[in-house]
Amino acid sequence: MKRVSYGIVIFSFFLFVQLSAQEKSNQADFRYGKYFNVAALLDYQSSRDFGVSPLVYRGFHYGGMAELGFEGPRWDISVDGGLGVGESSVTKVAIFNSESTVFYYNARFLRKIWDKDEGKLDFRAGLHLGGYAAQRVTPAFLNASLVWESINTLFASGKLSWRLSHTQSAGKFLFIRQREGLRHIKLSTQLSLPLLNSVWRPDYAYIDDFSDGDADVFANNKLNFGGLRLHWRSDAYYYLLNGNALRLTYLWDAQRSANAINRLELAHHQMVLGIMIRLN
């Protein structure tokens, strides 16, 4: 799985370079449109599972994401998914390691509520459905070493965007050729607050004997509602003359489940760098 994740990162980088270099000299306003985004992500994750260990595990995860999105003068709609793999650890007398594979997915439906200066500044609000599923393996927990879990949340979300432009002189950025022309830039920040939060995970620590290979790892999983989850992201977009755009995203995602005995606490700090390919 790690090889797949590293392959996604390498592929995203070469696609980023190739599509950035294919600039044309035509002038157009590409602030709105349909886009397919391919990105590489770096995720710093911390976790604490009170069901088996109250220690805080921290570490980096690497992976990639893809997104299909539409932004118009009134609506902002997007669906994305991604994969990250990595290892977290904690040092208490000895070093304990926890390997995990995480699948991310989100869907956002936002409508413009307010704007100013002909759309240069606008605020959009709506619903955001966000979640992820993960497999964690911590050998030090022995029979409780394997966990499958999924966290899903329906958010109320608000997004503030600021659009500006500048005239680009001819030249090069690193080894990417830049043509002279008017460039559009967008900065946005989005906060999502939970309306309904759910956690699907073991009711308590797994105690099955997995050595025979016949144990059902999902038998003890239960769905619980409640808890707290906060989701905040900020994006910087740089639109190229060919209609594509470069995007840099910072994402903070933190959650705390409702079950006091088997409480799960997670926090993600993600940096995502991608290329948005214009589809229209």
Side-chain angles (χ1 to χ4, degrees), residues 1-10 85:
M1 188 63 72
K2 286 186 177 181
R3 293 181 179 179
V4 174
S5 180
Y6 296 151
I8 293 174
V9 174
I10 296 172
V85 297

Side-chain angles (χ1 to χ4, degrees), residues 16-49:
F16 176 90
V17 173
Q18 180 67 19
L19 293 176
S20 299
Q22 294 176 355
E23 289 204 287
K24 302 175 183 177
S25 59
N26 61 304
Q27 299 286 336
D29 184 350
F30 293 115
R31 292 179 299 172
Y32 303 123
K34 300 176 183 178
Y35 289 93
F36 178 69
N37 181 38
V38 180
L41 72 85
L42 174 65
D43 183 5
Y44 180 73
Q45 175 181 301
S46 59
S47 63
R48 179 159 55 178
D49 186 342

Side-chain angles (χ1 to χ4, degrees), residues 147-152 198-204 206 217-225 257 259 262 264:
V147 175
W148 277 93
E149 57 202 4
S150 180
I151 299 170
N152 297 277
S198 68
V199 179
W200 179 76
R201 66 187 310 267
D203 187 48
Y204 199 66
Y206 290 136
V217 296
F218 303 116
N220 295 324
N221 276 32
K222 291 187 177 181
L223 178 64
N224 293 298
F225 293 93
S257 65
N259 191 335
N262 190 27
L264 174 67

Side-chain angles (χ1 to χ4, degrees), residues 57-73:
Y57 288 74
R58 296 184 174 92
F60 286 96
H61 290 64
Y62 310 89
M65 299 191 74
E67 178 181 355
L68 183 63
F70 164 78
E71 183 178 1

